[in-house]
Amino acid sequence: MKGKIIILSAPSGTGKSTIIRRLIDRPELRLGFSISATSRAPRGEEQHGKEYYFLTSQEFSDRVEAGEFVEWEEVYPGTCYGTLKSEVERVTSEGRNLIMDIDVKGGLNVKRCFGDSALSIFILPPSLEELERRLRGRATDSDETIARRLGKAEYELGFADSYDEQVVNDDIDAAAEKVADLIKAFIKSEVISNK
Ligand code: 5GP
């Protein structure tokens, strides 16, 4: 495997997707986004093969059975997300660093699996109140979904300390910059240790 793995986890609504979008455009980071498979339906403008590979629950479990996943989790009851082995191969074989947006259990599993070849970063919201305000502002989810995501957020925040690095997103520009610096340092330290 030529590229390295960058694991980004954060409660939904913390700005993680925005940070990833900004970082992907930076040539010096040589990133490739890991497109996960999910059994949930597309939201808003999401497209198959761009944000996710959207599978039916049956297709998802067939591919689990076939051993096609590096990891997968039932992130919300009845809704599964996972990283396909083919996706890790697609990005890293080109020498790009794979950036993964995955939940806390998946993130810690991948870190365990790839050890020093992976950097795990947790993005924190300034507070739970601010997170709720951001989720409501997004206007794509129902009240029930928002309540579910907030409950999940509290649970996920308990795992932040198990990540290599934590970054608070109280300003999106500063947070994206901090994450970029961490990735740069990680890529550089890998190059030096390989000499
Ligand atoms: P959303 O439905 O908001 O796009 O994502 C819900 C959650 O699923 C997020 O916490 C996201 O990080 C997580 N997730 C996305 N892809 C994967 C994956 O491949 N594996 C795991 N374990 N979690 C994922």
Side-chain angles (χ1 to χ4, degrees), residues 16-165:
K16 183 182 44 171
S17 310
T18 308
I19 290 174
I20 291 177
R21 266 200 305 277
R22 292 193 184 186
L23 300 184
I24 288 281
D25 293 337
R26 296 197 179 196
E28 75 276 20
L29 300 179
R30 293 181 59 79
L31 294 175
F33 181 62
S34 170
I35 303 168
S36 296
T38 180
S39 65
R40 83 152 162 77
R43 203 163 56 204
E45 302 287 301
E46 288 178 335
Q47 289 168 31
H48 180 78
K50 191 168 170 231
E51 286 82 7
Y52 285 106
Y53 299 116
F54 294 100
L55 307 180
T56 63
S57 296
Q58 186 61 52
E59 284 166 341
F60 198 100
S61 51
D62 287 348
R63 297 182 77 164
V64 170
E65 281 299 305
E68 292 184 28
F69 284 95
V70 178
E71 63 76 38
W72 67 275
E73 294 289 336
E74 188 175 356
V75 177
Y76 299 110
T79 308
C80 296
Y81 297 78
T83 309
L84 291 160
K85 290 177 183 168
S86 55
E87 195 58 18
V88 178
E89 186 54 29
R90 178 180 73 82
V91 175
T92 58
S93 64
E94 293 169 356
R96 283 185 294 149
N97 303 300
L98 184 82
I99 187 157
M100 307 173 94
D101 168 351
I102 68 179
D103 91 314
V104 287
K105 281 202 210 154
L108 294 174
N109 274 338
V110 171
K111 174 68 190 178
R112 216 170 292 129
C113 211
F114 291 95
D116 289 345
S117 297
L119 172 70
S120 60
I121 304 174
F122 196 96
I123 314 286
L124 294 144
S127 65
L128 276 175
E129 291 72 28
E130 174 60 16
L131 183 64
E132 180 169 2
R133 206 183 58 74
R134 290 181 191 175
L135 284 174
R136 292 200 182 283
R138 195 154 76 172
T140 45
D141 296 320
S142 65
D143 279 358
E144 191 196 333
T145 304
I146 290 170
R148 202 155 44 99
R149 286 179 190 275
L150 279 173
K152 180 90 179 169
E154 278 189 72
Y155 164 79
E156 289 177 320
L157 288 170
F159 289 86
D161 285 348
S162 306
Y163 278 65
D164 296 325
E165 303 285 349

